[in-house]
Amino acid sequence: MSRSAPAAALGAVAVAALALTGCGTVVAAEPTGSSAAAQITVTDDQGREVVIDGPVERAVVLNSYANEFVRAIGAGDTVVGVDRSSLNRLPYLEITDDEVIAEGLDQINYEAVAALEPDVVVLPRNAVWQEAAEQLEGFGIPVVVATAWDYAVFDDTVDLLGEVFGAEQEADGFQAFADEIQEVVAERVEGLDTVPVYWETAEPYLTVLPGSGFHAIIEAAGGENVFAEAGGGDVQQEITVDPAEVVTRDPAVIVHEYEPAATPTEASAFEATRDELTSRPGWSAIQAVEDDQVYVANGWATSAIAKSIGALYLATWLHPEAFEDVDPDAYLERWVTEFQGTDFAGVDGYISAPGDQG
Amino acid sequence: MSLVIDDVRFSYGKHLVLDGVSLEVQEGTFCALLGPNGSGKSTLTKVVAGVHRPASGGVRFRGDDVLGLGRRAHARLIGYVPQSAEVPFDLTVREAVLLGRTPHFGIGPGRADWERVDEAIGLLGLEELEGRSISQLSGGQAQRVLVARAIAQDTRVLLLDEPTSALDLRYQIETLQLVRQITRSHGITALIAIHDLNHAGRFCDQAVLLHRGRIQRAGTPAEAFDEAALADIYGLDVTVEERDGYVEVRPVVHELELQR
Amino acid sequence: MTTSLAERDAGTPPTGRGPAPARDDRPRRAGAWRPVALAAGAVVSVLAIVVAVTIGTAGVTLADVWGAILLATFGGTLQPDFSQAYSIVTELRLPRILLAFGAGAALSVAGAIMQGLLRNPLVSPFTLGVSPAAAFGAALAITLGGATTLPAWVIILSALGMALAVSAFVLSLASAKKMAVATLLLLGIAVTQLFEALTSALQFAANENTLQAIVRWTFGSVNDANWGDVQIVWIVLLLSLPLVLWFAKDLNAIAFAGDDAAKSLGVNVGPLRVGLIVVSVLLASVVVSFCGVIGFVGLVGPHIARLVIGADHRYLLPASGLAGGLLLLLADTVGRTVMAPAVIPVGIVVAFIGAPIFINLILTRKTALR
């Protein structure tokens, strides 16, 4: 008798809850005066067929590379919501704080997304896209997976975004720019001897393996990744290596790349990183350190356009004689002013080459 | 009309603890199980209490098989007071005594159950403590709560497993007095595993001496306490004499000489 | 005090059978307020759920909530201007709030059962390593089966299987050491570390797609709540509750009197213990399969309930459910408002609330850990 009361109370709550899942038949009233939308059907990064009521006038885009691409195809003004990390990296996005709908790629605030009433949500494959698709289904908001950080699917991603935003021509123009850079590099490094390179990403001794976009740009730039044959990389094909191994493999060029940030890096920060790199125990014996071939870069520049800009810079560092007539800074400036539509603060905020200081 | 233990054998793994124990306790009397550590007296109470299943042998009460009863029916017939019980939760005395009614009610206790609880609390003089948490009680008070629990269980047979070993002298005597009174006033048959021969001799009607899982001597304390037998069982010379109508056992203390 | 008792002992001859006259008027007094307290707790819970539905980034009024519930229950025509509020209430807020409450209640009831069975207020599905093991089971199923193709029940079964195996392992090892508290907790730490490492190892080997599905299990979150999750968690909870309440008085005997005395009180200790542990592990595993590992609720929920309603499991079990449900509901509401629009996973928030309570519980324990 005494136990039935709480059970009944719990039962009442549950019955009410479960009733909500399927009892009543809810019919949506015909939306009046909505523009007869042209439907756009795309196949996304995960092979999903997604139907969007176009044209896309409001979009929520997660991941900074995707936001760069959307701006590069001239659709930046349709973006009404992004993740915090995109806004931190790209402060030139025309987004206010209350249009930030997630900190990173999980824990998306779906009601904030719904409140923005977007026509589409774009997120990369390492975001919680299944969950997002499920949660936003009830609002009729389609979810498109587009993975702009993956250099291997660059062409597909640009095509996909072109279709989604109805900007096929601009997408072609963006692709042509990328092709131009890649050709400049490819034709000049062909037949040259490769140079051993150690590429370090955000953390000390965190380097890259085949499969990573950074490995690809080393190869493209006529270099040779000193850890090319190592195994055991993580999901991004990155691996933390034994410091002694770097010394043993004796690279001729060392590159350390920061996380991307459009805000220019302070010269003192570059210098501190270079000092830290060259003073690591045993590193004085490395050829790159002896020859003063240690470069530090802001990923906003070197990872731009699926790392094409990075490949160009690296090629000029590895084979300066072959690139005497090429000015990589000009390409970077074009990317920033023409494709990102923001002011170029000068190359010194993004690239620190050994001769720069002093 | 008696509790009969018939050729009970029990072992922990390969270690034989009870090796054919047979015993009869008249209803309404107080019987002491005595013997050194490891003699099997505690185990015997647990077998009768239904905590352990014997390998062979039987227990009968008023001629009916006890071991074949279901757990609840068994628990309505035979109550058990363990040595001590540490309770890791805050429980009031009244709630602790109510546990004794577990075999009697279904989901929740009824009026009759609470009446039994109040009666047991009254019998053990715990009224002023009944709202107190048992973690705040002294050892003697906590032991009385355990006895009250067994009283509330309202059984015909009461088993006590060394209930006095943790108590000071006054509470030892009080507990034994109380159990003896219950056997007299309620006609309950009580079986106690106890260390102190003199306490057993003073309060119990029957004394059973166990050694290595067998009964060595049984009878009234005066019959059971035989100097030679006790010396053999405990490995210590004793003298047995009568004082104020009760037998009393005293060790004969020689110069210190550790055995073997 | 002791003296007066002794005097009464000495002076009062034992009464015969039959109730003592002075006590007749109040034989059932004890615990009469408890059903009332439980009912009040249930009412508070319903109110808390309703209030929580109105709280959030997108403005939704109480009237919107009521309108949405009526519409969803009885059907009708959804007007375009109500469409967004309706979807926010029925698709996002209600599922997540009911999942948070149900998950908190399930974990807390699971904790209360384990604490009673093991006679130890410091154990929970989390401290015994059951939750991390369930998380590993879920992650393993996702890695082997792929995140998109696998039906939910496979993940649940895998989580449950791993959790049952681990609890059997931990409890059998601990029983060899007489279930000493230190042994249990140390085994729990070892198992937790092991399974967290195993889950990390799976993450290392996973592709991006599987990875984001696994990562969801490493911290507790209800951000992906849907009605399917809510249904399963509540069905398991509501089937378990009457079952455990039926055996609550037997659980009382084990918890308060110990195994031997419980047997002598007519309780089938062995089968009951196994059965209740299975129920407890099931409750915890189902929650972990949907929400990931949420610590502290299974520990702190029963503790709060015990402070309010006492240790009697007939009241403690439902009260633990209410306390755990409210705790997780509060934590989730804080998590999705305090840094809005950012959503802080409920597992993180609840740790901030739960850890201090747990530390307090250890420090104020009357008996030292043994």
Side-chain angles (χ1 to χ4, degrees):
Chain A
M1 156 207 62
S2 45
R3 62 173 262 268
S4 56
L10 281 169
V13 175
V15 166
L18 300 184
L20 283 172
T21 64
C23 276
T25 316
V26 177
V27 186
E30 274 303 309
T32 49
S34 87
S35 53
Q39 287 203 329
I40 305 169
T41 306
V42 296
T43 305
D44 76 359
D45 182 69
Q46 292 297 302
R48 297 156 69 239
E49 198 156 279
V50 184
V51 180
I52 307 163
D53 282 338
V56 170
E57 285 160 351
R58 300 173 65 80
V60 168
V61 180
L62 273 77
N63 178 253
S64 64
Y65 295 117
N67 273 296
E68 286 179 12
F69 282 20
V70 170
R71 287 181 81 83
I73 62 171
D77 54 345
T78 63
V79 176
V80 294
V82 301
D83 58 311
R84 173 88 55 199
S85 160
S86 290
L87 187 57
N88 286 344
R89 288 173 170 189
L90 314 175
Y92 54 86
L93 295 178
E94 289 116 33
I95 291 290
T96 59
D97 260 355
D98 38 306
E99 290 159 342
V100 170
I101 47 79
E103 294 300 289
L105 297 177
D106 53 45
Q107 306 303 317
I108 298 167
N109 187 332
Y110 296 107
E111 41 181 271
V113 174
L116 292 172
E117 298 187 328
D119 300 312
V120 67
V121 171
V122 178
L123 32 68
R125 73 174 82 105
N126 57 329
V128 287
W129 58 266
Q130 293 103 324
E131 175 189 307
E134 210 171 89
Q135 297 288 329
L136 294 173
E137 201 184 353
F139 297 91
I141 299 171
V143 169
V144 170
V145 183
T147 311
W149 51 259
D150 187 353
Y151 75 101
V153 294
F154 173 74
D155 290 347
D156 294 340
T157 305
V158 175
D159 284 343
L160 172 63
L161 292 175
E163 288 172 41
V164 168
F165 288 94
E168 283 90 347
Q169 276 188 357
E170 291 85 342
D172 289 346
F174 176 34
Q175 246 158 9
F177 178 56
D179 291 346
E180 185 190 332
I181 298 172
Q182 281 156 20
E183 271 162 36
V184 167
V185 175
E187 72 189 17
R188 279 173 174 73
V189 300
E190 198 179 347
L192 297 179
D193 287 341
T194 57
V195 179
V197 174
Y198 169 70
W199 188 289
E200 190 171 272
T201 59
E203 298 292 320
Y205 301 110
L206 186 63
T207 193
V208 296
L209 300 181
S212 153
F214 296 111
H215 175 84
I217 69 172
I218 296 172
E219 304 255 287
E224 184 191 332
N225 182 1
V226 294
F227 285 99
E229 91 310 342
D234 64 9
V235 64
Q236 296 177 346
Q237 291 304 328
E238 295 185 1
I239 179 179
T240 302
V241 293
D242 180 353
E245 276 295 307
V246 183
V247 179
T248 313
R249 290 167 192 242
D250 199 22
V253 170
I254 291 173
V255 184
H256 179 96
E257 195 199 82
Y258 296 145
E259 293 273 315
T263 310
T265 309
E266 298 285 332
S268 57
F270 276 135
E271 210 164 307
T273 303
R274 187 192 310 284
D275 288 347
E276 189 271 322
L277 284 164
T278 52
S279 63
R280 286 182 188 171
W283 276 39
S284 54
I286 297 176
Q287 197 197 334
V289 178
E290 277 178 5
D291 297 351
D292 204 12
Q293 286 294 303
V294 178
Y295 297 84
V296 186
N298 178 330
W300 187 60
T302 41
S303 281
I305 327 179
K307 311 198 194 307
S308 299
I309 301 266
L312 177 61
Y313 271 104
L314 182 61
T316 64
W317 299 335
L318 300 180
H319 307 287
E321 64 296 332
F323 286 86
E324 273 172 351
D325 61 328
V326 179
D327 179 11
D329 301 348
Y331 285 98
L332 177 59
E333 182 166 3
R334 250 182 91 193
W335 161 249
V336 175
T337 55
E338 205 173 299
F339 290 92
Q340 290 304 293
T342 186
D343 296 332
F344 183 51
V347 70
D348 291 347
Y350 306 104
I351 305 287
S352 169
D356 286 355
Q357 78 271 47
Chain B
M1 299 292 263
S2 59
L3 176 73
V4 175
I5 297 167
D6 183 20
D7 196 27
V8 164
R9 286 167 200 277
F10 178 84
S11 39
Y12 286 114
K14 289 190 171 162
H15 177 59
L16 189 63
V17 184
L18 297 176
D19 184 11
V21 174
S22 298
L23 174 67
E24 182 169 359
V25 184
Q26 292 305 316
E27 196 169 353
T29 66
F30 191 7
C31 171
L33 297 173
L34 297 149
N37 290 332
S39 59
K41 57 186 189 301
S42 231
T43 307
L44 184 58
T45 61
K46 286 181 181 172
V47 167
V48 179
V51 175
H52 295 325
R53 291 258 157 218
S56 66
V59 179
R60 292 190 303 279
F61 183 70
R62 295 178 176 169
D64 298 326
D65 177 32
V66 166
L67 299 180
L69 292 172
R71 280 217 173 271
R72 273 170 77 100
H74 186 279
R76 286 193 286 251
L77 183 68
I78 298 176
Y80 171 69
V81 179
Q83 256 174 23
S84 69
E86 190 201 336
V87 180
F89 304 101
D90 273 343
L91 198 66
T92 65
V93 166
R94 204 147 185 269
E95 286 171 322
V97 175
L98 179 66
L99 287 178
R101 301 303 299 169
T102 302
H104 294 279
F105 63 80
I107 294 157
R111 193 182 177 83
D113 295 306
W114 285 116
E115 282 172 5
R116 290 279 174 278
V117 168
D118 289 337
E119 199 181 312
I121 286 174
L123 192 60
L124 278 117
L126 292 166
E127 293 97 331
E128 288 187 6
L129 297 174
E130 68 170 29
R132 191 90 57 92
S133 164
I134 47 176
S135 56
Q136 299 172 322
L137 302 185
S138 70
Q141 291 167 335
Q143 189 65 48
R144 277 194 288 164
V145 172
L146 290 182
V147 176
R149 180 174 91 198
I151 302 288
Q153 197 172 338
D154 194 19
T155 57
R156 298 308 302 157
V157 179
L158 190 57
L159 299 163
L160 303 100
D161 184 6
E162 297 184 28
T164 57
S165 47
L167 304 184
D168 67 27
L169 186 58
R170 198 184 81 201
Y171 282 124
Q172 290 184 25
I173 300 298
E174 279 179 13
T175 304
L176 290 168
Q177 253 182 320
L178 182 86
V179 175
R180 184 181 165 88
Q181 277 169 345
I182 292 165
T183 60
R184 296 291 180 274
S185 58
H186 292 53
I188 286 173
T189 309
L191 197 61
I192 185 171
I194 187 169
H195 268 298
D196 194 308
L197 294 163
N198 294 329
H199 286 169
R202 174 65 183 77
F203 294 104
C204 298
D205 306 298
Q206 187 180 359
V208 176
L209 282 166
L210 280 154
H211 187 45
R212 297 195 176 123
R214 292 168 174 276
I215 292 179
Q216 304 296 325
R217 286 185 80 88
T220 64
E223 290 164 4
F225 293 174
D226 173 77
E227 279 180 11
L230 288 172
D232 183 43
I233 290 170
Y234 289 96
L236 178 77
D237 289 337
V238 297
T239 59
V240 177
E241 52 198 57
E242 205 184 289
R243 186 166 162 173
D244 305 333
Y246 300 99
V247 281
E248 212 171 71
V249 180
R250 285 163 186 269
V252 180
V253 181
H254 301 290
E255 230 170 282
L256 185 63
E257 172 192 350
L258 292 173
Q259 288 189 343
R260 261 152 275 178
Chain C
M1 168 202 74
T2 322
T3 320
S4 70
L5 275 169
E7 278 162 10
R8 204 209 351 248
D9 278 357
T12 316
T15 53
R17 294 204 118 182
R23 315 185 60 79
D24 260 358
D25 54 336
R26 48 176 186 128
R28 307 196 49 186
R29 177 190 45 102
W33 57 276
R34 290 192 172 105
V36 180
L38 277 182
V43 170
V44 168
S45 300
V46 172
L47 289 178
I49 286 171
V50 171
V51 169
V53 177
T54 65
I55 298 174
T57 320
V60 171
T61 64
L62 210 54
D64 290 339
V65 175
W66 184 242
I69 291 175
L70 286 184
L71 190 57
T73 313
F74 301 110
T77 306
L78 179 58
Q79 296 305 323
D81 59 340
F82 187 52
S83 156
Q84 198 191 48
Y86 174 78
S87 290
I88 284 179
V89 170
T90 59
E91 306 271 338
L92 296 178
R93 294 231 183 119
L94 271 175
R96 89 174 288 148
I97 283 162
L98 290 173
L99 183 63
F101 192 93
L107 286 174
S108 188
V109 170
I113 296 171
M114 280 198 182
Q115 292 176 1
L117 279 180
L118 302 176
R119 311 191 72 214
N120 181 346
L122 297 181
V123 301
S124 77
F126 190 75
T127 52
L128 291 187
V130 170
S131 298
F136 172 71
L140 188 67
I142 291 165
T143 311
L144 296 179
T148 37
T149 49
L150 222 52
W153 62 267
V154 176
I155 298 175
I156 298 176
L157 276 189
S158 179
L160 176 64
M162 196 63 71
L164 278 175
V166 164
S167 44
F169 173 75
V170 168
L171 294 175
S172 60
L173 277 188
S175 66
K177 297 272 181 190
K178 298 197 181 346
M179 293 279 178
V181 182
T183 313
L184 269 175
L185 293 182
L186 290 175
L187 279 172
I189 289 169
V191 168
T192 301
Q193 302 278 338
L194 174 67
F195 280 96
E196 281 175 357
L198 284 170
T199 308
S200 301
L202 281 181
Q203 286 175 30
F204 202 67
N207 64 37
E208 293 117 6
N209 226 329
T210 322
L211 180 66
Q212 51 99 347
I214 294 177
V215 168
R216 292 210 318 233
W217 266 267
T218 54
F219 54 81
S221 167
V222 290
N223 208 37
D224 62 337
N226 62 46
W227 282 111
D229 304 351
V230 173
Q231 267 177 321
I232 296 178
V233 168
W234 277 88
I235 285 171
V236 171
L237 179 63
L238 292 178
L239 289 181
S240 303
L241 256 186
L243 187 72
V244 295
L245 283 172
W246 182 260
F247 292 106
K249 65 151 187 162
D250 296 335
L251 185 54
N252 275 344
I254 294 176
F256 305 143
D259 280 13
D260 285 357
K263 283 181 191 168
S264 78
L265 289 168
V267 178
N268 259 322
V269 173
L272 183 73
R273 181 187 296 282
V274 172
L276 287 181
I277 282 179
V278 169
V279 171
S280 170
V281 170
L282 174 71
L283 283 167
S285 308
V286 167
V287 172
V288 170
S289 322
F290 290 123
C291 311
V293 175
I294 302 175
F296 290 110
V297 182
L299 203 58
V300 170
H303 178 57
I304 295 171
R306 212 173 271 123
L307 286 179
V308 173
I309 210 150
D312 185 339
H313 288 85
R314 290 177 298 127
Y315 304 103
L316 178 66
L317 290 171
S320 295
L322 293 174
L326 281 170
L327 181 65
L328 214 54
L329 176 61
L330 173 72
D332 182 52
T333 308
V334 168
R336 66 195 171 86
T337 51
V338 72
M339 281 177 64
V343 182
I344 307 169
V346 64
I348 294 173
V349 181
V350 84
F352 280 115
I353 304 174
I357 302 182
F358 183 47
I359 291 168
N360 173 267
L361 173 59
I362 294 174
L363 293 183
T364 56
R365 248 171 84 84
K366 291 180 193 82
T367 46
L369 287 178
R370 248 174 287 150

